[in-house]
Amino acid sequence: MDQNQHLNKTAEAQPSENKKTRYCNGLKMFLAALSLSFIAKTLGAIIMKSSIIHIERRFEISSSLVGFIDGSFEIGNLLVIVFVSYFGSKLHRPKLIGIGCFIMGIGGVLTALPHFFMGYYRYSKETNINSSENSTSTLSTCLINQILSLNRASPEIVGKGCLKESGSYMWIYVFMGNMLRGIGETPIVPLGLSYIDDFAKEGHSSLYLGILNAIAMIGPIIGFTLGSLFSKMYVDIGYVDLSTIRITPTDSRWVGAWWLNFLVSGLFSIISSIPFFFLPQTPNKPQKKKKKKKKK
């Protein structure tokens, strides 16, 4: 009888141990997936900051407009943050985070699309600001011509060393892409942290949060590295003969391969979204399903 009782206790203990193991594995898988999304989030932020000067030069837009484009991320974030925070905990949080990462990736790819529609970049052959003297003379020439143009009918009169403003509105793609990135990034932090707080062991939430923030620092490292690398590549690399390009990265007319930054960032965000679609709503959900089947 003692042996039978011992076997029964062992049999009862095994399901509970399997449940705990699967519970821990489910939470660990979520933490691993969330770590990738945190890296993608910080990577996208750094990529935008490091590419902003090249976007300004490529689209020939004003600094104020570039600031407005950069702020579109916060606009997208504000549009959905209340709804995500309120309804997120009631829905499938891992899938919502996965959808957010996917949208964030689509936003990065959309930001890079204008490069493929605008044609080749043509820099001014007359503007070459490599020294303080050239900079001063060019600035004074620009100011003089701007003042003279106020008294003339045509606003497109520009002097030597001044660039004509572009009439292209392709920067709207960058604006919309950055806004999508803000919308997609919204559920990552609030839903991710609430999921950990709900299912992590007591006292472990702060540890997991510290680990996530530490791992997130990989994003800026990768972002600054890629930004430095791609900024040294000519914007139309792969499309034009680089031997014909007479300017260097130190030239004020130089535009780096900013679009490669967003392509890499966008694809990484899309890849980071995949694991979330295979995670359960709660770590112990598969075990509950099995119990229900047994009762039937």
Side-chain angles (χ1 to χ4, degrees), residues 127-161:
T127 306
N128 186 13
I129 307 174
N130 287 323
S131 63
S132 59
E133 293 180 0
N134 287 334
S135 178
T136 304
S137 61
T138 303
L139 179 62
S140 60
T141 306
C142 287
L143 290 175
I144 291 171
N145 282 277
Q146 286 176 1
I147 294 170
L148 292 175
S149 66
L150 293 175
N151 299 321
R152 301 181 186 182
S154 175
E156 296 186 3
I157 299 174
V158 290
K160 183 178 179 180

Side-chain angles (χ1 to χ4, degrees), residues 62-73 75 171 175 178-179:
S62 63
S63 298
S64 58
L65 184 55
V66 170
F68 178 62
I69 292 172
D70 191 23
S72 62
F73 174 85
I75 295 174
W171 58 265
F175 177 86
N178 201 36
M179 183 183 289

